[in-house]
Amino acid sequence: MTIKRVLKQTALTAALVATPLAASAEEYHIGVTVPSADHGWTAGLLWWAQHATEELAEKHDDVSFTVLSASSGTAQVSNVEDLMIRDLDALVILPHNPATLQQVITEAYESGIYTVVVDRELEEPSQDVFLAGDNPGLGEVAARYMAEELGGEGNILVLEGPPIPINSQRVEAFNAVMADYPDINILDSQATDWNPQKALSVTEDLLGSNPQVDAIWAGDDDVLVSALRAVEENERDDVKLIVGGGGSQQVIEMIRNDHPVVRGTVTYPPNMIASAIALAVHGVKGERLGDMYHGVPSRVILAADLITGGNVEEFYQPEAAY
Amino acid sequence: MNDASNSKPMGQLGLQRLRRLPLNATILAPLLALIILFVLSSLASEYFFDARNISNVLRQVSYTGIIAIGMTFVIIAGGIDLSVGSMVALVGVLLLYVVNAIADPLQGVLLGMLAALVAGSLFGLFNGLLVTRGRMAAFVVTLASMSIFRSLALYLTDAGEVTTPNPLFSEIGGGYVLGLPIPVWTFFGLAAIAHVLLFHTPFGRHVCAVGANPQVARYAGIRVERVVLSTFVIAGICVGLSAIMLSSRLNSVSPSDAGYFYELDDIAAVVIGGTALSGGRGSVWGTVIGALILGIINNMLNLTGVSPYLQGLVKGAVILLAVLLQYRRTG
């Protein structure tokens, strides 16, 4: 092989790799990093991060944004390191797994970067703002709604998430409410890891071993869709109610169209990242929040809202990814 | 060009040709790609040549790079190791258990590091024995052990992250010597040792010969199985080193996350570096360059803020082009 050919081919390789960058002269640079879109909720997260940065960049012309996603905690450590190189003023991060990211977030925070941590709390707080959904609330609201719809009695299946603290907070709160209803019987509680495929097979198995099921709590809207499919395929008319969690557009669509079984879900909104980015914009500029007499609060917990036919229009955002 | 495929008439001749080939032409293409990438990167982003950025990139590369060096031996000998990523998680978990079990910080760190290297080499031995004694394809063996190692790591920890209160531990992966992070020194030091091992010892020549043609190597008096077994142990030791660097940099290990997809990054680094996936020839410095190319691409995509949806496409395209180059060269 000639040197010329080597040169030609390597040039081709390298040309594809490099993407030119328009240098930014804005006053504030805000970096956002989230887990990559590996399931419905995280896809929604990334969509909302990009949506919010586009909207906010139009509104605030002195702020520029960089949005990155990472397929693992270690990749996200690199994301933060790379962002910090670029004269970062604020960092908005939804950490893949808190302990893995602890060290590098602490480095960012201690170097004076305005830090907003979203959804998953660090063991040693290293942030200006922590923003999350209400995990116990999600379980509690779902349980109250189901108990009411069932008239205080019936057989329930619970489809849990992966074995992580967020999941146990939700399930424990759910069970605590259900303890007040002696006639509601939780038949089984199994992990689906919030994975649609696994949820489908777990629901099939659980339906097979339980002949009378009145309701299913899916805890996640992707899981709800799988559970519904298993119920329909097995022609189980005994299942009268399936309640989810999260607030995906697909499920909101079903509630809007008066689905006979899917009538309610509870929010754990992926657009929490959008609010976190907005908080970072005001926080880094040292502005007050709306008509508040204070700056950005150090801890923000978003409510777990029940979505039913009555209020579904408020949550309808057809172009969102989740 | 050198043709190290299976059609050697005589083992002696094959060995002699193998002895001559490494550095020059094989390494030229990836080296040029690296240089061009370097130039383009510094044009694309004003932040690229920042000393902090360069040392960050080198550190980001070192975790997978260290393993890729071990992987180079495995692949040259005609094997493959898909289990390295899961092995990082399992070794990392065991390492932190040892560090946490010993009260004295210094002793804890030293014994923990020793445990990581021993565990890594034992897991490598496990893979190697199944390939040689069990007479199974390396792909199948390591596909299975990939699943086994990850599962054990999850089981031991109940899928929770393991952290350590040991104040010395994070000094290894997080520390600097003469301006460069310790993982980077480890990476380059290991590369130098591996280079000598591969090109300046009988063992290295045996690895190449076994990968080029095991039958001929056997007739030439090489103990093929022992050589193959050693390459897996080398890969395991490299995994042990990488697990030390990674978990101490993060001061924690996540069993579901540590080493996630490292096997693919490592194979990509080896292939971009010009080592033939069919075995028989390759170079350590090529792998180092391959790992650097992957790391710089990641860094550039992050620095320039390319759409997160498109980053995978660019990485995939580079790997494809590198393999394309290789086919041209051997064809």
Side-chain angles (χ1 to χ4, degrees), chain A residues 11 16 30 44 51 54 57 93 99 131 153 168 179 207 224 250 257 264:
Chain A
L16 209 130
I30 300 181
H51 184 70
E54 277 164 27
I93 180 167
L131 180 142
E153 58 177 344
S168 8
L207 287 174
L224 179 155
Q250 194 184 355
N257 297 330

Side-chain angles (χ1 to χ4, degrees), chain A residues 40-64:
Chain A
W41 197 82
T42 42
L45 197 69
L46 187 52
W47 186 88
W48 277 107
Q50 292 186 315
H51 184 70
T53 49
E54 277 164 27
E55 281 195 346
L56 288 166
E58 266 175 40
K59 247 187 249 174
H60 304 261
D61 50 12
D62 53 346
V63 183
S64 68

Side-chain angles (χ1 to χ4, degrees), chain A:
Chain A
M1 180 156 81
T2 61
I3 295 289
K4 214 168 154 189
R5 206 158 95 195
V6 178
L7 269 173
K8 214 168 85 185
Q9 277 161 344
T10 45
L12 194 64
T13 315
L16 209 130
V17 166
T19 325
L21 163 87
S24 49
E26 281 90 356
E27 216 173 322
Y28 299 102
H29 178 213
I30 300 181
V32 182
T33 163
V34 295
S36 51
D38 53 8
H39 64 282
W41 197 82
T42 42
L45 197 69
L46 187 52
W47 186 88
W48 277 107
Q50 292 186 315
H51 184 70
T53 49
E54 277 164 27
E55 281 195 346
L56 288 166
E58 266 175 40
K59 247 187 249 174
H60 304 261
D61 50 12
D62 53 346
V63 183
S64 68
F65 297 95
T66 307
V67 180
L68 299 178
S69 72
S71 60
S72 70
T74 13
Q76 202 173 21
V77 170
S78 305
N79 275 1
V80 177
E81 286 176 350
D82 292 344
L83 283 170
M84 281 169 69
I85 294 296
R86 299 182 51 190
D87 301 329
L88 204 63
D89 298 296
L91 171 72
V92 180
I93 180 167
L94 196 150
H96 230 284
N97 22 30
T100 302
L101 271 302
Q102 173 85 56
Q103 199 98 344
V104 78
I105 293 176
T106 307
E107 281 169 25
Y109 178 63
E110 282 175 358
S111 74
I113 293 171
Y114 190 87
T115 307
V116 181
V117 174
V118 186
D119 188 38
R120 300 170 195 175
E121 197 157 17
L122 300 177
E123 199 156 303
E124 297 159 40
S126 303
Q127 75 254 342
D128 295 277
V129 186
F130 174 70
L131 180 142
D134 184 359
N135 281 302
L138 186 141
E140 198 185 313
V141 171
R144 288 198 193 292
Y145 173 68
M146 287 182 80
E148 205 174 291
E149 289 284 300
L150 289 172
E153 58 177 344
N155 293 330
I156 293 184
L157 290 178
V158 175
L159 303 175
E160 296 190 29
I164 56 174
I166 289 176
N167 177 64
S168 8
Q169 287 171 13
R170 294 176 181 185
V171 175
E172 277 163 23
F174 183 89
N175 292 339
V177 172
M178 285 306 180
D180 297 339
Y181 296 90
D183 294 332
I184 288 181
N185 180 17
I186 296 178
L187 297 170
D188 209 336
S189 197
Q190 290 286 342
T192 63
D193 300 347
W194 294 325
N195 173 313
Q197 268 171 309
K198 188 169 178 196
L200 187 60
S201 58
V202 168
T203 315
E204 279 168 353
D205 294 347
L206 288 177
L207 287 174
S209 53
N210 294 288
Q212 176 61 42
V213 176
D214 297 299
I216 298 174
W217 180 47
D220 172 85
D221 283 348
D222 283 351
V223 172
L224 179 155
V225 172
S226 294
L228 179 65
R229 202 162 133 209
V231 167
E232 283 172 348
E233 282 175 0
N234 290 286
E235 296 172 358
R236 291 290 294 262
D237 301 331
D238 51 328
V239 181
K240 304 280 187 323
L241 176 68
I242 308 179
V243 174
S248 81
Q249 292 305 317
Q250 194 184 355
V251 169
I252 286 175
E253 191 83 56
M254 289 182 201
I255 297 171
R256 260 182 111 230
N257 297 330
D258 298 320
H259 193 283
V261 176
V262 181
R263 301 190 294 273
T265 189
V266 184
T267 57
Y268 193 82
N271 64 4
M272 66 173 67
I273 192 74
S275 288
I277 296 167
L279 287 181
V281 170
H282 293 294
V284 76
K285 292 185 181 182
E287 293 172 352
R288 284 185 186 174
L289 210 57
D291 289 333
M292 275 178 76
Y293 287 80
H294 299 87
V296 175
S298 61
R299 210 178 161 79
V300 181
I301 306 298
L302 302 170
D305 295 316
L306 178 67
I307 306 180
T308 57
N311 64 352
V312 66
E313 293 305 325
E314 286 173 43
F315 301 93
Y316 188 52
Q317 167 66 284
E319 67 266 28
Y322 182 83

Side-chain angles (χ1 to χ4, degrees), chain B residues 101-318:
Chain B
I102 295 163
D104 181 62
L106 183 64
Q107 253 178 34
V109 168
L110 291 177
L111 285 175
M113 285 166 64
L114 185 67
L117 295 176
V118 171
S121 52
L122 286 178
F123 296 144
L125 190 70
F126 173 77
N127 282 336
L129 282 175
L130 284 171
V131 170
T132 53
R133 294 287 163 83
R135 298 190 181 286
M136 285 187 271
F139 188 93
V140 177
V141 168
T142 57
L143 190 66
S145 59
M146 168 168 79
S147 171
I148 292 170
F149 295 151
R150 179 74 66 188
S151 165
L152 280 176
L154 288 167
Y155 175 73
L156 286 174
T157 56
D158 281 332
E161 293 173 278
V162 189
T163 58
T164 176
N166 188 320
L168 289 179
F169 187 59
S170 61
E171 291 301 313
I172 312 165
Y176 286 73
V177 172
L178 299 177
L180 275 183
I182 292 173
V184 178
W185 285 112
T186 313
F187 177 37
F188 288 136
L190 183 73
I193 294 170
H195 175 78
V196 171
L197 187 61
L198 189 57
F199 291 124
H200 300 283
T201 67
F203 171 74
R205 288 192 286 278
H206 291 173
V207 170
C208 294
V210 166
N213 191 330
Q215 210 56 41
V216 172
R218 191 166 284 124
Y219 293 150
I222 296 171
R223 305 177 75 166
V224 172
E225 299 195 336
R226 183 173 290 188
V227 171
V228 170
L229 186 65
S230 322
T231 60
F232 280 98
V233 175
I234 290 172
I237 293 171
C238 291
V239 167
L241 259 182
S242 174
I244 294 169
M245 296 303 149
L246 182 68
S247 57
S248 63
R249 157 66 180 138
L250 303 174
N251 205 25
S252 70
V253 149
S254 158
S256 58
D257 191 286
Y260 184 70
F261 278 148
Y262 272 20
E263 59 280 356
L264 296 189
D265 275 355
D266 289 323
I267 294 168
V270 172
V271 168
I272 293 173
T275 295
L277 208 46
S278 50
R281 62 182 173 79
S283 76
V284 171
W285 292 117
T287 298
V288 170
I289 290 169
L292 287 175
I293 287 177
L294 280 179
I296 292 176
I297 291 168
N298 274 330
N299 181 245
M300 278 317 298
L301 293 171
N302 283 348
L303 285 187
T304 50
V306 172
S307 160
Y309 298 127
L310 274 180
Q311 297 204 353
L313 183 141
V314 178
K315 275 182 242 171
V318 171

Side-chain angles (χ1 to χ4, degrees), chain B residues 18-75:
Chain B
L18 281 166
R19 210 167 173 164
R20 281 203 321 263
L21 62 82
L23 273 171
N24 38 29
T26 324
I27 211 168
L28 194 65
L31 187 62
L32 271 172
L34 179 67
I35 292 167
I36 293 171
L37 188 59
F38 226 81
V39 173
L40 287 177
S41 300
S42 44
L43 291 177
S45 171
E46 58 194 297
Y47 303 102
F48 181 72
F49 258 115
D50 191 298
R52 180 71 195 268
N53 188 48
I54 298 291
S55 90
N56 277 352
V57 174
L58 289 174
R59 184 164 61 189
Q60 290 164 9
V61 161
S62 65
Y63 314 123
T64 45
I66 288 170
I67 302 173
I69 290 172
M71 183 76 88
T72 310
F73 282 84
V74 175
I75 290 180

